[in-house]
């Protein structure tokens, strides 16, 4: 039996497209959610770590901007990575969090390329306010996201493509 989401849940939207952030933020705020915004993974990871209150759900684009020059991803606590790698980094923190992936690339295309994670809700862009609010509500009412290993490629590394 699903529980009702907290009335004052905090949602972090991660997308490099300001229009998408605006289209998601407005209906969520009107519905009573606290909304935080980040244009990329580095900003989202920093915000998630440093925010004084819990962040209950992250709505993230799969294709985030590619990394700028950085000396080491391993030593950088806030690396600029794609959406799937960011999800893995967030889930390593072992906190109760819910995650929704989104993309303007159709779901079947993402599945065939191994870019949809089993068990993670998916929101296809563009979306309506009603579809967004329903998926947010259902996801918050469900169990927290758990870490699942990425599917390895022939080289042994997860296949994730950067898209400009």
């Amino acid at each position: 039996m699903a529980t009702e989401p907290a009335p004052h849940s905090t949602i972090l939207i991660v997308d490099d497209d300001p229009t998408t952030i605006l289209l998601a933020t407005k209906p969520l705020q009107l519905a009573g959610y606290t909304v935080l915004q980040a244009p990329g993974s580095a900003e989202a990871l920093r915000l998630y770590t440093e925010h004084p209150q819990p962040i209950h759900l992250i709505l993230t684009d799969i294709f985030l901007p590619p990394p700028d020059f950085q000396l080491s991803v391993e030593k950088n606590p806030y690396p600029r990575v794609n959406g799937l790698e960011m999800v893995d980094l967030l889930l390593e923190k072992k906190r109760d969090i819910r995650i929704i992936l989104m993309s303007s690339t159709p779901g079947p295309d993402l599945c065939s390329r191994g870019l949809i994670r089993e068990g993670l809700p998916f929101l296809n862009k563009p979306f309506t306010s009603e579809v967004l609010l329903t998926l947010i509500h259902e996801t918050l009412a469900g169990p927290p996201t758990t870490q699942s290993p990425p599917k390895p490629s022939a080289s042994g590394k997860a296949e994730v493509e950067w898209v400009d």
Side-chain angles (χ1 to χ4, degrees):
M1 182 171 162
T3 59
E4 288 296 313
H8 301 292
S9 296
T10 299
I11 298 170
L12 172 58
I13 302 171
V14 187
D15 200 311
D16 59 320
D17 178 12
T19 303
T20 299
I21 288 180
L22 179 65
L23 291 174
T25 297
K26 287 292 185 190
L28 291 171
Q29 287 176 333
L30 289 172
Y33 296 105
T34 300
V35 179
L36 306 173
Q37 304 168 351
S41 60
E43 299 85 355
L45 291 166
R46 178 177 288 112
L47 190 56
Y48 181 76
T49 302
E50 297 175 357
H51 194 274
Q53 302 299 320
I55 296 174
H56 303 96
L57 184 142
I58 296 179
L59 173 64
T60 184
D61 194 2
I62 292 173
F63 300 110
L64 295 171
D68 295 328
F69 175 75
Q70 50 191 10
L71 295 176
S72 171
V73 171
E74 290 80 27
K75 295 180 182 174
N76 181 355
Y78 311 117
R80 187 166 296 280
V81 293
N82 64 52
L84 292 176
E85 290 173 314
M86 183 186 75
V87 165
D88 290 337
L89 291 170
L90 290 168
L91 292 175
E92 285 175 5
K93 297 184 184 301
K94 306 279 191 245
R95 297 184 191 162
D96 284 349
I97 185 111
R98 284 138 181 95
I99 297 170
I100 298 173
L101 298 175
M102 66 177 163
S103 179
S104 56
T105 303
D109 291 349
L110 294 170
C111 280
S112 69
R113 294 164 53 191
L115 296 175
I116 294 280
R117 291 278 170 82
E118 190 173 325
L120 288 182
F122 178 74
L123 179 64
N124 199 52
K125 298 190 286 185
F127 49 82
T128 64
S129 296
E130 293 79 22
V131 168
L132 172 67
L133 289 168
T134 299
L135 186 57
I136 293 284
H137 182 79
E138 289 172 355
T139 304
L140 284 170
T145 302
T146 57
Q147 192 168 22
S148 62
K151 294 181 181 177
S153 67
S155 69
K157 296 191 175 193
E159 291 187 34
V160 176
E161 301 174 24
W162 289 101
V163 176
D164 291 317

